[in-house]
């Protein structure tokens, strides 16, 4: 399965760099070609000559190299491969990639590539566990970067814990999986150019008193990924987000809200739009009257919380008679009778499309990285395999771009 594949291998500077040489050997044994790139720090651990002998080709090291640019520009280099692998991925390389820096060859290639990137981190365990590295890994994961490892064990520095580079054969297995699961659908560039898209995402928090609130497990990953994908397809995107722990998508006008009523107000303020996508897990109920001071325990016993229903944002937009977006998309988070409930929601909330997902216990969808969805519209149902949320987002956006294109050209609805 690796036969004929081209791997661009970026070797970072770490004590584990020697294992990258073994990785090259394993890849070539399986028929893959390897293009080698080394950071200046990697030279402290292995030599360009040893990497070149194993890859059987030139090793690229510098961003501004006249000979390299004459042979193959770095943009071309970043796209010539089927997969980009970073091993070892140091804390520094991860931080650069997470922040979009491009001040040396390795970081420039990571920013310029249009291929999947697989990182095999290796570093001291305190560096791996540092909040900055955790944040960077989270950002890269949201950007669709894949990770293998790090493994746990005794480290070169004598400490014990996570941070060891995965074994070369485990990295080979991750490479095979990454290539096999190459389900990415390229977003038609500019397919939503000139279109305005409004997306809701995350949970809402409904206050009980100044310190307590009603919430749910939504992480906002799916909604944020949709906003990011729509923006990448050229749309002007407004994201109305409940409280989440993830970063605002770059280039997206993100408006932060707490409650369902605030979310509705921001969505209405963001209208008119061409497409509305309600991915938020809006709390169905709020307390009738949130207390102005903290509730205290007392002789009266547990408080009697009276709940009232929140406005339904999706239904409010779907049922608009004036300025209704051309496409209104809802989600249906269900634990039972998934498709029947999704179809009922399609009608009740006057949507054009419902993305239904099973959020039952054990599915790991709420708060997780993957999602398995079914698309329900007036015509029928289409089920997608389990995909990472970024890919689900890309596919949804590609579908909406096609739909809006057909509507504009008066073509048929599929
Ligand atoms: N939704 C909304 N406003 C609400 C409740 C839900 O906009 N007050 C939207 C969600 O963003 C989602 C869709 O409606 O797109 C369905 O949400 P879901 O929680 O699955 O449905 P509910 O309306 O809560 O219905 P039920 O209680 O029957 O599950």
């Amino acid at each position: 399965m690796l036969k004929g594949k081209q791997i661009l291998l970026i070797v970072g500077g770490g004590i584990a760099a020697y294992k990258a040489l073994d990785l090259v050997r394993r890849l070539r044994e399986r028929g893959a070609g390897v293009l080698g790139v080394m950071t200046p720090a990697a030279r402290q651990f292995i030599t360009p000559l040893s990497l070149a002998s194993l890859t059987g080709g030139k090793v690229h090291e510098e961003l501004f190299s006249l000979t390299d640019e004459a042979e193959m520009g770095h943009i071309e280099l970043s796209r010539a491969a089927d997969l980009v692998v970073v091993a070892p991925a140091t804390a520094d390389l991860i931080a650069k990639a997470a922040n979009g820096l491009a001040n040396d060859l390795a970081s420039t290639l990571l920013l310029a590539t249009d291929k999947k990137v697989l990182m095999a981190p290796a570093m001291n365990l305190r560096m791996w566990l540092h909040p900055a590295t955790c944040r960077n890994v989270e950002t890269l994961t949201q950007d669709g970067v894949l990770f293998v490892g790090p493994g746990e064990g005794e480290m070169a520095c004598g400490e014990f814990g996570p941070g060891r580079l995965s074994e070369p054969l485990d990295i080979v297995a991750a490479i095979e999986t990454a290539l096999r699961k190459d389900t990415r659908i390229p977003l038609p560039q500019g397919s939503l150019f000139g279109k305005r898209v409004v997306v809701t995402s995350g949970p809402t928090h409904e206050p009980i008193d100044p310190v307590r609130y009603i919430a749910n497990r939504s992480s906002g990953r799916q909604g944020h990924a949709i906003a990011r994908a729509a923006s990448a397809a050229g749309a002007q995107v407004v994201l109305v987000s409940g409280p989440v722990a993830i970063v605002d998508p770059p280039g997206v006008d993100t408006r932060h809200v707490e409650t369902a009523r605030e979310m509705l107000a921001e969505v209405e303020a963001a209208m008119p739009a061409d497409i509305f996508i309600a991915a938020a897990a809006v709390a169905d109920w709020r307390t009738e009257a949130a207390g102005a001071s903290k509730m205290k325990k007392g002789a009266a016993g547990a408080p009697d919380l009276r709940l009232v229903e929140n406005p339904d944002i999706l239904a409010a937009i779907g049922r608009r008679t004036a300025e209704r977006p051309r496409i209104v998309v809802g989600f249906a988070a269900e634990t039972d009778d998934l498709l029947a409930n999704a179809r009922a929601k399609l009608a009740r909330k006057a949507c054009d499309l419902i993305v239904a997902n099973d959020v039952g216990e054990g599915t790991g969808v709420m708060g997780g990285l993957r999602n398995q969805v079914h698309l329900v519209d007036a015509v029928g149902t289409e089920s997608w395999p389990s995909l990472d949320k970024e890919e689900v987002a890309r596919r949804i956006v590609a579908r909406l771009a096609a739909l809006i294109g057909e509507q504009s050209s008066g073509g048929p609805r599929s």
Side-chain angles (χ1 to χ4, degrees):
M1 108 130 274
L2 280 172
K3 209 168 165 50
K5 298 285 184 201
Q6 281 294 332
I7 308 295
L8 176 66
L9 176 65
I10 298 175
V11 183
I15 194 80
Y18 73 94
K19 284 198 198 171
L21 298 176
D22 191 28
L23 174 63
V24 175
R25 224 163 46 79
R26 307 286 184 175
L27 290 170
R28 297 209 61 202
E29 270 168 16
R30 286 162 178 74
V34 182
L35 274 166
V37 170
M38 283 170 74
T39 64
R43 287 189 80 135
Q44 305 293 325
F45 299 92
I46 59 168
T47 67
L49 185 61
S50 48
L51 186 57
S53 325
L54 286 163
T55 59
K58 184 175 166 45
V59 168
H60 301 265
E61 296 174 79
E62 280 163 34
L63 183 55
F64 302 110
S65 154
L66 198 57
T67 42
D68 283 3
E69 283 301 315
E71 286 166 20
M72 186 193 257
H74 55 257
I75 301 281
E76 219 176 301
L77 187 62
S78 76
R79 296 181 181 171
D82 295 295
L83 182 73
V84 180
V85 176
V86 189
T90 58
D92 181 64
L93 263 176
I94 288 174
K96 280 181 175 162
N99 290 286
L101 296 189
N103 58 357
D104 56 19
L105 181 60
S107 53
T108 302
L109 293 175
L110 288 169
L111 198 63
T113 189
D114 59 353
K115 296 298 170 2
K116 265 195 203 173
V117 176
L118 171 71
M119 292 197 168
M123 66 195 76
N124 167 275
L125 79 127
R126 308 223 175 269
M127 292 166 78
W128 174 250
L129 297 175
H130 193 284
T133 307
C134 296
R135 265 196 313 275
N136 292 334
V137 170
E138 167 76 22
T139 303
L140 289 173
T141 304
Q142 282 176 38
D143 292 347
V145 171
L146 305 168
F147 284 87
V148 49
E152 282 207 20
E154 197 171 339
M155 312 194 55
C157 53
E159 289 189 275
F160 189 92
R164 275 167 65 94
L165 183 70
S166 290
E167 291 307 318
L169 282 181
D170 292 332
I171 302 177
V172 169
I175 290 173
E176 284 177 337
T177 311
L179 288 169
R180 197 170 33 243
K181 287 212 185 116
D182 197 4
T183 48
R184 283 191 172 205
I185 292 200
L187 273 175
Q189 291 278 322
S191 54
L192 285 179
F193 191 74
K195 299 286 182 284
R196 186 171 164 87
V197 176
V198 177
V199 184
T200 67
S201 182
T204 62
H205 285 182
E206 309 296 332
I208 295 171
D209 67 17
V211 295
R212 304 179 177 94
Y213 55 83
I214 299 171
N216 59 64
R217 295 184 199 282
S218 167
S219 65
R221 282 205 180 90
Q222 188 63 82
H224 279 53
I226 291 172
R228 215 174 2 255
S231 171
Q236 180 208 0
V237 183
V238 177
L239 173 66
V240 184
S241 171
V244 292
I246 55 177
V247 291
D248 293 350
V252 168
D253 175 3
T254 306
R255 305 182 186 174
H256 298 273
V257 298
E258 295 262 330
T259 67
R261 285 185 294 175
E262 287 166 10
M263 189 174 269
L264 175 64
E266 278 295 349
V267 166
E268 295 202 307
M271 292 292 142
D274 298 283
I275 301 177
F276 174 61
I277 305 164
V282 185
D284 288 326
W285 302 284
R286 65 176 185 276
T287 54
E288 191 171 37
S293 13
K294 187 184 166 199
M295 286 183 190
K296 305 294 282 179
K297 288 197 292 286
D304 187 12
L305 283 185
R306 289 187 56 83
L307 301 179
V308 291
E309 204 165 315
N310 263 329
D312 192 312
I313 303 164
L314 176 58
I317 300 300
R319 297 201 169 286
R320 272 183 162 216
T321 44
E323 287 188 337
R324 181 190 186 274
R326 282 159 67 189
I327 303 179
V328 174
V329 182
F331 272 69
E334 306 290 347
T335 53
D336 309 282
D337 301 326
L338 178 65
L339 295 179
N341 277 325
R343 199 155 283 289
K345 274 178 195 168
L346 183 75
R348 196 167 73 237
K349 305 196 184 209
C351 309
D352 302 289
L353 182 70
I354 286 275
V355 182
N357 52 6
D358 185 346
V359 292
E361 220 176 313
T363 60
V365 169
M366 271 274 193
L369 297 177
R370 298 182 73 79
N371 205 352
Q372 205 250 305
V373 305
H374 309 266
L375 264 61
V376 179
D377 67 7
V379 181
T381 304
E382 183 180 315
S383 300
W384 289 351
S386 170
L387 300 164
D388 66 55
K389 288 183 176 175
E390 299 289 334
E391 179 59 21
V392 171
R394 268 193 296 274
R395 289 183 177 210
I396 290 173
V397 167
R399 170 68 62 103
L400 297 177
L403 209 56
I404 212 154
E406 278 168 19
Q407 284 185 4
S408 312
S409 64
R413 278 201 57 187
S414 65

